[in-house]
Amino acid sequence: MVDLRGRDFLKLLDFTPKEIEHLLKVSATLKKQKHKGESHRHLRGKQVVLLFEKDSTRTRCSFEAGAVDLGMQATYIGPTGSQMGKKETIEDTARVLCRMYDGIEYRGFDQSTVEALAKYSTVPVWNGLTNEFHPTQMLADVMTIKEEFGDLKGRKLVFCGDARNNVGNSLMVVCSKLGMHFACCAPKALWPNEELVKTCKEICKKTGATIEMTEDIMEGTKDADALYTDVWVSMGEPMELWEERIKLLKPYQVNQKVMDNAKKGAIFLHCLPSFHNNETTIGKEIEEKFGLKEMEVTDEVFEGPQSRVFEEAENRLHTIKAVMLETMKK
């Protein structure tokens, strides 16, 4: 029996394969209930607070809508809405909020911040994203793959792009935990941290997963079940990095040629937002400066029949609800 009551959700390295699989099962149940219009207000009367030092669409909406679905109220505190780190320490913030709320979500910068919140809080703390890890996104990603293929073990997921970021790190972790084959297609300078790779390879010995690093995108994407990419400059990084990243990562753009190199029936995933066209403020700016209308993925792939990005985005809601429910239920 899996019991996650009172647990923090900071990174997937803290969870066993069985616990992760349990969260996916609960997510699937909650999704069915949502689609059927069945009430599942299992946490009626509870309250959660959402601390955001980085803005978000999917993470904020998933926690807020998920809280309401589960019968709770949510308080959103944006980047300028609290004194945390300015006039009040993280430790003091945690000790105040845990006396007012039944759960605390944090989305921001350093992993050490969410770890400190968890250390000093008496209620569950959930990581909505840090520079190092993005565990709630991973649950939605593997849920989408499982819905598509019916299983996870032995499936090959390939990440193309800056594999040192929170998404690249977390994909490698979740694949290792669930017996999947993870491949990173990127220049060596943007491969994941060696210490984390070593940790994941130890996990692979127990689960049958494998890890592959390559600078050759056609070699890396061969036989892939899912291709995944992310923006080339992450939130919080300076705009000045665009020129450098474009030079490094342009060869790793996911286009139709790359998709055709994967298995027949392979799917495309992206955590969003995506620069697949020039119809955003930043997209227009990039086109004016560098002449690129599409960046990490082409519009043809993003809007194509193999894309599952919006199913994946919806699954953020169901998986986040599962995390809140399983860690808060009595």
Side-chain angles (χ1 to χ4, degrees), residues 141-155:
D141 297 340
V142 293
M143 181 180 185
T144 308
I145 295 170
K146 188 169 185 178
E147 287 176 336
E148 184 72 25
F149 300 111
D151 55 32
L152 291 170
K153 195 169 182 66
R155 295 289 172 184

Side-chain angles (χ1 to χ4, degrees), residues 169-188:
N169 286 343
S170 299
L171 284 170
M172 182 169 62
V173 171
V174 76
C175 286
S176 302
K177 289 279 185 176
L178 297 178
M180 299 172 66
H181 304 306
F182 174 77
C184 141
C185 295
K188 278 188 180 179

Side-chain angles (χ1 to χ4, degrees), residues 110-127:
D110 293 337
Q111 181 72 14
S112 60
T113 301
V114 76
E115 300 276 355
L117 284 169
K119 180 179 179 180
Y120 289 92
S121 169
T122 57
V123 300
V125 173
W126 313 297
N127 179 1

Side-chain angles (χ1 to χ4, degrees), residues 11-181:
K11 59 185 184 299
L12 289 178
L13 287 171
D14 301 332
F15 289 79
T16 66
K18 186 177 181 181
E19 289 170 339
I20 296 170
E21 288 163 1
H22 173 73
L23 286 170
L24 293 175
K25 287 179 183 177
V26 174
S27 302
T29 298
L30 292 171
K31 184 173 184 175
K32 287 178 183 176
Q33 291 175 328
K34 176 77 171 178
H35 284 193
K36 289 180 180 179
E38 296 176 358
S39 176
H40 45 279
R41 295 166 61 83
H42 306 303
L43 299 176
R44 188 182 290 107
K46 291 185 179 290
Q47 297 188 72
V48 296
V49 61
L50 314 177
L51 288 174
F52 278 63
E53 291 188 318
K54 286 184 179 180
D55 289 324
S56 167
T57 300
R58 279 147 299 280
T59 303
R60 177 179 177 179
C61 292
S62 296
F63 271 102
E64 287 191 341
V68 172
D69 280 352
L70 291 170
M72 298 190 288
Q73 290 185 325
T75 300
Y76 171 78
I77 300 178
T80 60
S82 82
Q83 297 295 348
M84 186 176 74
K86 298 187 285 285
K87 292 183 178 179
E88 187 168 56
T89 66
I90 295 162
E91 292 86 348
D92 290 355
T93 300
R95 289 181 287 189
V96 168
L97 293 178
C98 71
R99 284 165 171 78
M100 299 180 180
Y101 294 94
D102 303 291
I104 301 170
E105 182 270 354
Y106 170 80
R107 178 183 173 94
F109 296 93
D110 293 337
Q111 181 72 14
S112 60
T113 301
V114 76
E115 300 276 355
L117 284 169
K119 180 179 179 180
Y120 289 92
S121 169
T122 57
V123 300
V125 173
W126 313 297
N127 179 1
L129 174 144
T130 62
N131 291 342
E132 292 83 8
F133 296 107
H134 198 357
T136 59
Q137 178 67 51
M138 296 306 105
L139 292 181
D141 297 340
V142 293
M143 181 180 185
T144 308
I145 295 170
K146 188 169 185 178
E147 287 176 336
E148 184 72 25
F149 300 111
D151 55 32
L152 291 170
K153 195 169 182 66
R155 295 289 172 184
K156 181 178 179 180
L157 184 148
V158 180
F159 182 79
C160 304
D162 184 355
R164 308 164 307 167
N165 71 11
N166 46 26
V167 171
N169 286 343
S170 299
L171 284 170
M172 182 169 62
V173 171
V174 76
C175 286
S176 302
K177 289 279 185 176
L178 297 178
M180 299 172 66
H181 304 306

Side-chain angles (χ1 to χ4, degrees), residues 11 24 34 53 65 68 74 120 146 154 186 205 210 216 243 247 250 269 274 276 290 300 313 316 320:
K11 59 185 184 299
L24 293 175
K34 176 77 171 178
E53 291 188 318
V68 172
Y120 289 92
K146 188 169 185 178
K205 292 177 182 178
T210 61
D216 187 331
E243 184 173 9
K247 286 179 181 176
K250 194 174 178 182
L269 300 173
S274 167
H276 59 97
F290 306 108
E300 179 183 19
R316 293 295 309 283
I320 280 172

